[in-house]
Amino acid sequence: AQSVTQPDIHITVSEGASLELRCNYSYGATPYLFWYVQSPGQGLQLLLKYFSGDTLVQGIKGFEAEFKRSQSSFNLRKPSVHWSDAAEYFCAVGGTGTASKLTFGTGTRLQVTL
Amino acid sequence: GAVVSQHPSWVICKSGTSVKIECRSLDFQATTMFWYRQFPKQSLMLMATSNEGSKATYEQGVEKDKFLINHASLTLSTLTVTSAHPEDSSFYICSAHQGLAGGGGGYEQYFGPGTRLTVT
């Protein structure tokens, strides 16, 4: 069974500081990996995804993530956080196929201090 | 990008009544949609996979007779919570699956904005 672990429930960073959100996955084959962001009371917005190819993927809003197969990780990074980045971040794993289900991690709540 | 809408965005109903939530893909066709449930400050839990023209596939522990799913067209899936009780109060989110152009098996799930259900 596929699973996702986000070890950090809550992270606080200062505006302008760098950010790294951790994500570890468990999947029996090559995973499809996603990072989503959710603002309070809202749906999910896709930040970036990895299917194959270059293991460093660029996303929207200045985010990037690196797929490391040997560590079963897909950590999300941003070099300089903005106050508007405060939200809940979810890592998800899915498989191949035309209609693969996604399994989400428990989320990391990001707080940004000014 | 692709847009998914949900209606209503919030609903309050009395215990014992039924409520229907609609999920629409506005600018693409989705043979597969997914329904999730999210409790406050928690992650998304997949309830069921909605397949156009066929029965939904429910996750273990989800009561199929309580959460009725109908995917009648390529752009619309509905979730009906029957005989709602206060414990059904939650945030329900749908998503629509879209394969990416160029093949390779890539895809995305586009999420709706969610529906807040409160059962009194």
Short mmCIF file of all heavy atoms in Angstrom, two decimals, chain B residues 79-112:
data_model
loop_
_atom_site.label_atom_id
_atom_site.label_comp_id
_atom_site.label_asym_id
_atom_site.label_seq_id
_atom_site.Cartn_x
_atom_site.Cartn_y
_atom_site.Cartn_z
N LEU B 79 -22.36 13.82 -5.13
CA LEU B 79 -22.26 13.07 -3.88
C LEU B 79 -23.49 13.42 -3.06
O LEU B 79 -23.73 14.60 -2.77
CB LEU B 79 -21.00 13.45 -3.11
CG LEU B 79 -20.88 12.96 -1.66
CD1 LEU B 79 -20.74 11.45 -1.62
CD2 LEU B 79 -19.71 13.62 -0.96
N THR B 80 -24.28 12.42 -2.72
CA THR B 80 -25.46 12.64 -1.89
C THR B 80 -25.23 11.99 -0.54
O THR B 80 -24.98 10.78 -0.47
CB THR B 80 -26.73 12.06 -2.54
OG1 THR B 80 -26.92 12.68 -3.82
CG2 THR B 80 -27.95 12.33 -1.67
N VAL B 81 -25.28 12.80 0.49
CA VAL B 81 -25.18 12.30 1.85
C VAL B 81 -26.61 12.03 2.32
O VAL B 81 -27.40 12.96 2.48
CB VAL B 81 -24.48 13.30 2.77
CG1 VAL B 81 -24.32 12.73 4.18
CG2 VAL B 81 -23.12 13.71 2.20
N THR B 82 -26.93 10.77 2.49
CA THR B 82 -28.29 10.40 2.86
C THR B 82 -28.44 10.29 4.37
O THR B 82 -27.50 9.91 5.07
CB THR B 82 -28.68 9.08 2.21
OG1 THR B 82 -27.82 8.05 2.73
CG2 THR B 82 -28.54 9.13 0.71
N SER B 83 -29.63 10.66 4.85
CA SER B 83 -29.93 10.59 6.28
C SER B 83 -28.75 11.13 7.09
O SER B 83 -28.15 10.44 7.91
CB SER B 83 -30.23 9.15 6.68
OG SER B 83 -30.66 9.08 8.03
N ALA B 84 -28.45 12.38 6.83
CA ALA B 84 -27.25 12.98 7.43
C ALA B 84 -27.37 13.08 8.94
O ALA B 84 -28.45 13.28 9.50
CB ALA B 84 -27.03 14.36 6.83
N HIS B 85 -26.25 12.92 9.60
CA HIS B 85 -26.16 13.04 11.05
C HIS B 85 -25.03 14.02 11.38
O HIS B 85 -24.15 14.26 10.54
CB HIS B 85 -25.93 11.69 11.70
CG HIS B 85 -27.10 10.78 11.60
ND1 HIS B 85 -28.22 10.92 12.40
CD2 HIS B 85 -27.35 9.74 10.78
CE1 HIS B 85 -29.10 9.99 12.09
NE2 HIS B 85 -28.60 9.26 11.11
N PRO B 86 -25.02 14.55 12.59
CA PRO B 86 -23.97 15.52 12.93
C PRO B 86 -22.55 15.02 12.68
O PRO B 86 -21.67 15.81 12.30
CB PRO B 86 -24.23 15.77 14.43
CG PRO B 86 -25.70 15.58 14.57
CD PRO B 86 -26.05 14.45 13.64
N GLU B 87 -22.33 13.73 12.82
CA GLU B 87 -20.97 13.21 12.58
C GLU B 87 -20.57 13.24 11.10
O GLU B 87 -19.41 13.02 10.77
CB GLU B 87 -20.83 11.78 13.12
CG GLU B 87 -21.83 10.79 12.56
CD GLU B 87 -23.04 10.62 13.45
OE1 GLU B 87 -23.42 11.60 14.13
OE2 GLU B 87 -23.61 9.51 13.44
N ASP B 88 -21.55 13.51 10.22
CA ASP B 88 -21.22 13.66 8.80
C ASP B 88 -20.75 15.08 8.47
O ASP B 88 -20.32 15.34 7.34
CB ASP B 88 -22.45 13.34 7.94
CG ASP B 88 -22.92 11.91 8.12
OD1 ASP B 88 -22.06 11.02 8.30
OD2 ASP B 88 -24.15 11.68 8.11
N SER B 89 -20.86 15.96 9.44
CA SER B 89 -20.38 17.33 9.23
C SER B 89 -18.90 17.29 8.90
O SER B 89 -18.10 16.68 9.62
CB SER B 89 -20.62 18.17 10.48
OG SER B 89 -21.99 18.26 10.78
N SER B 90 -18.53 17.94 7.82
CA SER B 90 -17.15 17.87 7.37
C SER B 90 -16.97 18.77 6.16
O SER B 90 -17.91 19.42 5.70
CB SER B 90 -16.79 16.43 7.01
OG SER B 90 -15.40 16.29 6.77
N PHE B 91 -15.76 18.80 5.66
CA PHE B 91 -15.42 19.52 4.43
C PHE B 91 -15.24 18.47 3.36
O PHE B 91 -14.39 17.57 3.49
CB PHE B 91 -14.14 20.33 4.66
CG PHE B 91 -13.83 21.34 3.61
CD1 PHE B 91 -14.75 22.31 3.26
CD2 PHE B 91 -12.59 21.36 2.98
CE1 PHE B 91 -14.46 23.27 2.30
CE2 PHE B 91 -12.29 22.32 2.01
CZ PHE B 91 -13.23 23.28 1.68
N TYR B 92 -16.06 18.53 2.32
CA TYR B 92 -16.01 17.55 1.25
C TYR B 92 -15.38 18.20 0.02
O TYR B 92 -15.80 19.27 -0.43
CB TYR B 92 -17.40 17.03 0.92
CG TYR B 92 -18.00 16.21 2.05
CD1 TYR B 92 -18.71 16.81 3.08
CD2 TYR B 92 -17.80 14.83 2.10
CE1 TYR B 92 -19.24 16.07 4.13
CE2 TYR B 92 -18.32 14.08 3.15
CZ TYR B 92 -19.04 14.71 4.15
OH TYR B 92 -19.53 13.97 5.19
N ILE B 93 -14.38 17.54 -0.53
CA ILE B 93 -13.66 18.07 -1.69
C ILE B 93 -13.67 17.04 -2.80
O ILE B 93 -13.46 15.85 -2.56
CB ILE B 93 -12.19 18.40 -1.34
CG1 ILE B 93 -12.11 19.35 -0.14
CG2 ILE B 93 -11.47 19.02 -2.53
CD1 ILE B 93 -10.68 19.63 0.30
N CYS B 94 -13.92 17.50 -4.01
CA CYS B 94 -13.85 16.60 -5.17
C CYS B 94 -12.65 16.98 -6.02
O CYS B 94 -12.10 18.08 -5.92
CB CYS B 94 -15.12 16.66 -6.00
SG CYS B 94 -15.31 18.18 -6.95
N SER B 95 -12.24 16.04 -6.83
CA SER B 95 -11.18 16.32 -7.80
C SER B 95 -11.51 15.60 -9.10
O SER B 95 -12.24 14.60 -9.11
CB SER B 95 -9.81 15.88 -7.28
OG SER B 95 -9.73 14.47 -7.24
N ALA B 96 -10.97 16.10 -10.17
CA ALA B 96 -11.19 15.51 -11.49
C ALA B 96 -9.85 15.13 -12.09
O ALA B 96 -8.89 15.92 -12.06
CB ALA B 96 -11.93 16.49 -12.39
N HIS B 97 -9.79 13.95 -12.62
CA HIS B 97 -8.56 13.42 -13.20
C HIS B 97 -8.46 13.84 -14.66
O HIS B 97 -9.43 13.74 -15.41
CB HIS B 97 -8.57 11.89 -13.10
CG HIS B 97 -7.43 11.21 -13.75
ND1 HIS B 97 -6.36 10.70 -13.05
CD2 HIS B 97 -7.18 10.95 -15.06
CE1 HIS B 97 -5.51 10.15 -13.89
NE2 HIS B 97 -5.97 10.28 -15.11
N GLN B 98 -7.27 14.28 -15.03
CA GLN B 98 -7.02 14.59 -16.44
C GLN B 98 -5.63 14.10 -16.83
O GLN B 98 -4.64 14.48 -16.20
CB GLN B 98 -7.14 16.09 -16.72
CG GLN B 98 -7.00 16.43 -18.21
CD GLN B 98 -7.06 17.91 -18.50
OE1 GLN B 98 -6.37 18.69 -17.87
NE2 GLN B 98 -7.88 18.29 -19.47
N GLY B 99 -5.59 13.26 -17.86
CA GLY B 99 -4.30 12.83 -18.38
C GLY B 99 -3.62 13.97 -19.09
O GLY B 99 -4.27 14.85 -19.66
N LEU B 100 -2.31 13.97 -19.05
CA LEU B 100 -1.56 15.05 -19.67
C LEU B 100 -1.29 14.76 -21.14
O LEU B 100 -1.10 13.60 -21.52
CB LEU B 100 -0.24 15.27 -18.93
CG LEU B 100 -0.39 15.71 -17.48
CD1 LEU B 100 0.99 15.93 -16.86
CD2 LEU B 100 -1.23 16.96 -17.37
N ALA B 101 -1.26 15.79 -21.93
CA ALA B 101 -0.99 15.65 -23.36
C ALA B 101 0.42 15.10 -23.57
O ALA B 101 1.31 15.35 -22.77
CB ALA B 101 -1.14 16.99 -24.05
N GLY B 102 0.57 14.33 -24.60
CA GLY B 102 1.89 13.79 -24.91
C GLY B 102 2.08 12.39 -24.38
O GLY B 102 3.13 11.78 -24.56
N GLY B 103 1.08 11.87 -23.74
CA GLY B 103 1.18 10.50 -23.23
C GLY B 103 2.16 10.41 -22.08
O GLY B 103 2.33 11.35 -21.31
N GLY B 104 2.80 9.29 -21.96
CA GLY B 104 3.76 9.10 -20.88
C GLY B 104 3.13 8.74 -19.57
O GLY B 104 3.83 8.51 -18.58
N GLY B 105 1.81 8.72 -19.56
CA GLY B 105 1.13 8.31 -18.34
C GLY B 105 0.96 9.41 -17.32
O GLY B 105 0.39 9.16 -16.25
N GLY B 106 1.45 10.60 -17.61
CA GLY B 106 1.31 11.68 -16.64
C GLY B 106 -0.13 12.15 -16.53
O GLY B 106 -0.92 12.03 -17.45
N TYR B 107 -0.45 12.68 -15.37
CA TYR B 107 -1.81 13.16 -15.14
C TYR B 107 -1.78 14.20 -14.04
O TYR B 107 -0.79 14.38 -13.35
CB TYR B 107 -2.74 12.00 -14.75
CG TYR B 107 -2.30 11.25 -13.50
CD1 TYR B 107 -2.67 11.68 -12.24
CD2 TYR B 107 -1.50 10.11 -13.62
CE1 TYR B 107 -2.25 11.01 -11.11
CE2 TYR B 107 -1.09 9.43 -12.48
CZ TYR B 107 -1.47 9.87 -11.23
OH TYR B 107 -1.05 9.20 -10.10
N GLU B 108 -2.90 14.83 -13.89
CA GLU B 108 -3.10 15.73 -12.77
C GLU B 108 -4.50 15.53 -12.22
O GLU B 108 -5.38 15.04 -12.91
CB GLU B 108 -2.95 17.20 -13.20
CG GLU B 108 -1.52 17.61 -13.48
CD GLU B 108 -1.35 19.09 -13.67
OE1 GLU B 108 -2.27 19.85 -13.30
OE2 GLU B 108 -0.31 19.49 -14.23
N GLN B 109 -4.65 15.85 -10.97
CA GLN B 109 -5.97 15.92 -10.37
C GLN B 109 -6.24 17.39 -10.05
O GLN B 109 -5.44 18.01 -9.33
CB GLN B 109 -6.06 15.09 -9.09
CG GLN B 109 -6.29 13.62 -9.33
CD GLN B 109 -6.67 12.87 -8.06
OE1 GLN B 109 -7.28 13.45 -7.15
NE2 GLN B 109 -6.32 11.60 -8.00
N TYR B 110 -7.34 17.88 -10.57
CA TYR B 110 -7.73 19.26 -10.32
C TYR B 110 -8.82 19.25 -9.25
O TYR B 110 -9.81 18.54 -9.37
CB TYR B 110 -8.23 19.92 -11.60
CG TYR B 110 -7.16 20.03 -12.65
CD1 TYR B 110 -7.03 19.06 -13.64
CD2 TYR B 110 -6.25 21.08 -12.63
CE1 TYR B 110 -6.05 19.16 -14.61
CE2 TYR B 110 -5.25 21.18 -13.59
CZ TYR B 110 -5.15 20.21 -14.57
OH TYR B 110 -4.16 20.29 -15.51
N PHE B 111 -8.62 20.07 -8.23
CA PHE B 111 -9.50 20.03 -7.08
C PHE B 111 -10.52 21.16 -7.11
O PHE B 111 -10.23 22.29 -7.54
CB PHE B 111 -8.68 20.13 -5.78
CG PHE B 111 -7.99 18.85 -5.43
CD1 PHE B 111 -6.80 18.50 -6.04
CD2 PHE B 111 -8.56 17.98 -4.50
CE1 PHE B 111 -6.17 17.30 -5.73
CE2 PHE B 111 -7.93 16.79 -4.19
CZ PHE B 111 -6.75 16.44 -4.80
N GLY B 112 -11.70 20.83 -6.64
CA GLY B 112 -12.71 21.84 -6.44
C GLY B 112 -12.44 22.62 -5.17
O GLY B 112 -11.56 22.26 -4.38
#
